[in-house]
Amino acid sequence: MRIIHTENYEQLSRQAANIISAQIISKPNCVLGLATGSTPIGTYKELISRFENKDIDFSEVTTVNLDEYCGLTPDNDQSYRYFMNTNLFNHVNVDMAKTNVPSGIADDPQAECERYDNLIESLGGIDLQLLGIGHNGHIGFNEPDDKFTKETHIVKLGDSTIEANSRFFDSYDDVPKSAITMGIKAIMNAKKVLLVASGKDKQEILKKSLFGPITPNVPASILQLHPDLTVVECE
Ligand code: PGA
């Protein structure tokens, strides 16, 4: 495990963008696993500026996102598809047909979970997976539980997640109560994992995840077993 401590959020964003840029440069047709949340926004801004400077090219890149809220259509401004379009995809030359976010509105959610895992497998897995971390240790929407769930699955969101995400909605009641998330297997099978964590409030869960016992009660703790984990953090 490599931990890169940075002075501030701007530096964290540049470091994370360096690592993602290196991946794209060394393998132009790579599969990037992408994340939503407030932490990666600065990283995406950096990637956009590198694209504008012609330092990186997304034309052959495929993306797979971690998760999506159940019940939100792609054009809902709180959906993760909308987030990815507005924070990254619309500003770079990625082929939209090669961008993948699980659907939160599939008629058959279980079939959608299976489709998503098959898709990741058919792509040959993920080259670099970007992750944020929740205050409860979730990665994607893999919430604390008494077991790790390997496959893409539908998850009931924990109260602390709903509370944390309510800042983006008009009220707590408006936050979807379930989501579809990539499971632990696709994340752990990614060739490289890049975890970003910003703020004093993330330090405790980060310490617990990286140095505490490996337990599904702290989903990110499984990353201790990943052979190529880089953590970029700032307080
Ligand atoms: P945040 O979310 O980047 O908005 O803190 C991280 C997460 O919940 O995965």
Side-chain angles (χ1 to χ4, degrees):
M1 175 194 325
R2 204 158 13 121
I3 301 179
I4 303 176
H5 174 71
T6 60
E7 294 300 316
N8 52 44
Y9 180 69
E10 287 68 36
Q11 203 189 343
L12 174 150
S13 301
R14 285 198 305 277
Q15 289 283 7
N18 285 347
I19 293 167
I20 298 171
S21 300
Q23 174 67 65
I24 296 172
I25 292 165
S26 65
K27 186 177 176 190
N29 64 347
C30 62
V31 178
L32 293 181
L34 296 178
T36 53
S38 40
T39 316
I41 290 177
T43 305
Y44 294 150
K45 284 205 175 104
E46 279 289 327
L47 290 173
I48 293 166
S49 109
R50 285 152 201 229
F51 164 73
E52 287 169 349
N53 289 330
K54 302 200 183 339
D55 291 330
I56 50 173
D57 172 14
F58 287 81
S59 61
E60 292 178 55
V61 170
T62 298
T63 68
V64 285
N65 260 79
L66 286 165
D67 46 16
E68 180 60 283
Y69 286 118
C70 287
L72 298 193
T73 55
D75 60 352
N76 184 306
D77 63 6
Q78 294 303 336
S79 76
Y80 285 170
R81 161 52 79 177
Y82 188 94
F83 175 102
M84 289 311 302
N85 288 353
T86 51
N87 285 291
L88 181 65
F89 299 154
N90 288 347
H91 308 283
V92 297
N93 67 337
V94 72
D95 176 354
M96 276 294 186
K98 291 195 187 130
T99 67
N100 300 282
V101 180
S103 171
I105 51 162
D107 288 339
D108 182 345
Q110 191 47 41
E112 172 61 8
C113 293
E114 284 160 28
R115 182 194 72 81
Y116 209 65
D117 281 332
N118 290 337
L119 167 79
I120 294 169
E121 207 180 312
S122 73
L123 293 168
I126 296 164
D127 289 298
L128 172 63
Q129 177 66 55
L130 175 64
L131 296 175
I133 183 169
H135 290 105
N136 61 3
H138 73 202
I139 45 177
F141 272 137
N142 289 279
E143 295 281 78
D145 197 355
D146 51 15
K147 60 178 185 326
F148 290 110
T149 304
K150 287 195 294 191
E151 320 296 340
T152 297
H153 57 287
I154 305 291
V155 63
K156 196 172 159 298
L157 299 180
D159 283 341
S160 78
T161 301
I162 295 172
E163 188 64 50
N165 292 5
S166 65
R167 68 191 195 274
F168 301 113
F169 291 81
D170 289 339
S171 73
Y172 179 96
D173 289 341
D174 289 334
V175 187
K177 305 297 181 287
S178 61
I180 176 169
T181 184
M182 197 188 280
I184 293 298
K185 185 174 158 192
I187 295 172
M188 287 301 283
N189 279 346
K191 294 183 187 79
K192 292 180 166 51
V193 173
L194 170 61
L195 178 79
V196 288
S198 163
K200 278 197 175 31
D201 55 319
K202 291 283 175 78
Q203 290 295 317
E204 193 184 325
I205 190 65
L206 197 57
K207 206 165 143 197
K208 224 167 145 183
S209 302
L210 301 179
F211 304 109
I214 297 170
T215 162
N217 284 314
V218 182
S221 64
I222 191 86
L223 298 173
Q224 292 179 39
L225 299 177
H226 194 280
D228 192 340
L229 169 66
T230 302
V231 179
V232 185
E233 55 86 23
C234 69
E235 282 186 20

